[in-house]
Amino acid sequence: MTRVVQEFTTDVPVWKPYVTPVDLSKATPGQLKALQVTPSNRKVSDYVLVLAHDEETLTHRSPLFNAIMYDEGGMSRAEREIGALAASVVNRCIYCAAVHSARYVQLAKDPETVDKIFAAGADADLDHRLSAIMYFATRLAECPPTADATDMIGLRRAGLDEEEILDLILSSSLFGWANRLMHTLGEPVTG
Amino acid sequence: MSDLVSRMAGIEPDSVLARVVAKRGDIFALTEKTMQAALTPVEPGGLPNALRAALASRVARLNGEVAMADHFASLAGDDPMARIADLDFRGDDARSRAVIRHCDLVAANPKAATGGDIEALRQAGVSEPDIVRLSELVAFISYQVRVVAGLRLMRETL
C-alpha cells in the first residue's frame, strides 16, 4: 500500500501526478524536442511528462534549472542546495525538500544540518554562514518576500561575496518556481 | 540591460552589480525567454495572452512588486480580461473564478494546494494542458519577482 508522505525526509518519495502526463508514444515533435527525447534517451519522469503539456516553457526550463544549480563559479553547489531547500521548506514541498536535502548531504557530508533545518526551518541552530544563508533564502521564499536590507547585510557579514549572493537569490527563487509545480500538480507517495 | 528583471531591479549599466549579473548572463537571457514563453506563447491554448498578462500582474502584486504588476497589467491593454489584474476582481463565470482562485492560491499559499484544487479546475472546464500552462505561468512569475526583489536588495545595500 502506498501512502502520501507528510513529513520532511531525505528518502526521495515517488511523485504521483494529479494531471495526466503526456503519453510519450503520442507526443508531438515539439513536445519531444522540449523533452529532449532522443532514440538513445527515452527515460522521462512523470513530472517532466506533465510539464510537456506546456512545451514552450519546458524548452527553457531545463537549461535554466541546470545553469542556476550547476554552472561553475560563485556559490558552492552544496550551498545552492540550501537555497533550494529553504524555499522547499517554506512551501512545504516534501518531494523537492527530499531531493535537495539528499543532494546537500551527498555534497557536504553534513546530515546534521538537514536534521536541524527539518526540525526548525530558518531558526535552525547552524554555523554563522549557513544560518545567514538559510535565513535570507527563507525570507525571500515567503509570499510576499520579507527579506530586507538587514538580511542582505547579514549575508555579507557572514562572508558571502556578491557572486555568491546572486547565486543564492537565484537558487531560492528557482525553487519558488519548482515547488509551485511539484507540490501543486502531484503528491509524494511511498515507493 | 535589456531584460525585464535587470530593468525592474534598477541595475545601472557599468555598476558593480551589472558586472556581477553579467557573469550569469546566460541565466538572465533564459529567464527572459521563459517569460516570453509564459506570457506570449506561439500556442496559447485556452489561456489568451491578455489573460496571461493579467494573471502575471496579480502574482506580482501579491508579492508586493508594484512596478512589475503595473507593467504586466499594461500588457493586457484594453482587453476585457485586463480587469483580472485587479486583485478585488474574482471572476464572472465558473471558469474565470476557478482560474483566478487557483492563480492566487499557488502564488500566495502553495503549501495549502491539494489534488482537490486541480479537480476544481477540471470541474470548471479547464483542460489538463491549460492547468499546466496556468501553473507554469504563476510559478515562473513567482520566481521572476523574487529575483527582482533580491537584486534590488543587493543594489540598495552595495
Side-chain angles (χ1 to χ4, degrees):
Chain A
M1 260 274 299
T2 60
R3 61 172 184 82
V4 178
V5 181
Q6 310 270 12
E7 298 302 323
F8 289 124
T9 173
T10 53
D11 293 329
V12 178
V14 172
W15 188 77
K16 190 176 150 203
Y18 301 139
V19 174
T20 316
V22 167
D23 180 346
L24 202 47
S25 68
K26 292 176 186 160
T28 64
Q31 287 172 331
L32 289 174
K33 188 159 176 268
L35 287 163
Q36 298 176 304
V37 173
T38 60
S40 63
N41 175 25
R42 295 193 64 83
K43 280 187 199 162
V44 186
S45 68
D46 273 350
Y47 175 61
V48 176
L49 287 169
V50 166
L51 299 188
H53 284 296
D54 185 2
E55 66 186 58
E56 291 177 60
T57 54
L58 178 61
T59 298
H60 305 301
R61 187 205 73 106
S62 300
L64 182 50
F65 186 102
N66 290 332
I68 290 175
M69 296 308 286
Y70 307 127
D71 270 5
E72 287 186 6
M75 179 168 263
S76 71
R77 281 187 56 185
E79 287 180 342
R80 292 184 216 185
E81 298 293 352
I82 295 294
L85 180 56
S88 303
V89 169
V90 168
N91 295 322
R92 229 182 146 74
C93 183
I94 302 286
Y95 186 92
C96 294
V99 170
H100 295 280
S101 62
R103 259 184 219 160
Y104 173 79
V105 171
Q106 187 185 30
L107 291 162
K109 317 287 179 213
D110 175 21
E112 272 178 40
T113 285
V114 167
D115 291 342
K116 288 178 184 172
I117 288 172
F118 282 171
D123 298 326
D125 179 23
L126 309 174
D127 72 44
H128 183 197
R129 183 177 165 101
L130 272 184
S131 183
I133 288 172
M134 182 67 197
Y135 195 72
F136 177 83
T138 297
R139 285 168 49 97
L140 187 63
E142 287 166 356
C143 181
T146 54
D148 62 17
T150 308
D151 303 336
M152 179 59 70
I153 291 162
L155 290 174
R156 297 200 183 102
R157 288 206 177 127
L160 279 78
D161 66 25
E162 301 306 312
E163 290 165 35
E164 289 175 319
I165 291 171
L166 175 58
D167 286 347
L168 179 62
I169 290 167
L170 290 168
S171 65
S172 173
S173 301
L174 178 65
F175 278 78
W177 177 359
N179 297 158
R180 280 177 175 80
L181 297 172
M182 191 70 84
H183 181 72
T184 70
L185 292 170
E187 64 189 347
V189 298
T190 53
Chain B
M1 291 300 154
S2 60
D3 69 288
L4 184 71
V5 167
S6 297
R7 287 203 305 278
M8 289 292 162
I11 300 175
E12 298 287 340
D14 302 320
S15 61
V16 173
L17 188 51
R19 286 193 288 277
V20 173
V21 165
K23 291 186 183 173
R24 294 290 188 224
D26 57 336
I27 289 172
F28 286 81
L30 281 166
T31 298
E32 189 78 359
K33 281 184 185 172
T34 311
M35 178 181 74
Q36 287 159 0
L39 284 180
T40 54
V42 176
E43 174 46 76
L47 302 184
N49 290 355
L51 172 60
R52 290 167 183 261
L55 293 171
S57 178
R58 290 184 83 91
V59 176
R61 205 165 305 278
L62 286 166
N63 280 285
E65 286 294 332
V66 175
M68 282 184 91
D70 291 346
H71 167 74
F72 291 135
S74 76
L75 300 180
D78 54 7
D79 190 286
M81 286 188 184
R83 65 181 162 162
I84 290 173
D86 178 354
L87 288 181
D88 291 332
F89 181 72
R90 301 294 167 88
D92 52 4
D93 58 37
R95 188 176 187 273
S96 65
R97 275 193 294 272
V99 166
I100 290 168
R101 179 190 170 275
H102 198 70
C103 167
D104 291 2
L105 173 70
V106 172
N109 194 16
K111 66 176 179 288
T114 67
D117 296 306
I118 298 298
E119 190 50 37
L121 287 169
R122 272 198 206 96
Q123 294 291 329
V126 184
S127 71
E128 290 203 308
D130 286 345
I131 290 172
V132 176
R133 292 181 181 112
L134 169 64
S135 305
E136 276 282 15
L137 172 66
V138 175
F140 170 77
I141 301 293
S142 298
Y143 152 81
Q144 195 183 31
V145 295
R146 284 175 174 74
V147 179
V148 170
L151 284 168
R152 187 187 306 112
L153 286 174
M154 287 181 81
R155 176 175 64 74
E156 288 171 351
T157 54
L158 263 171

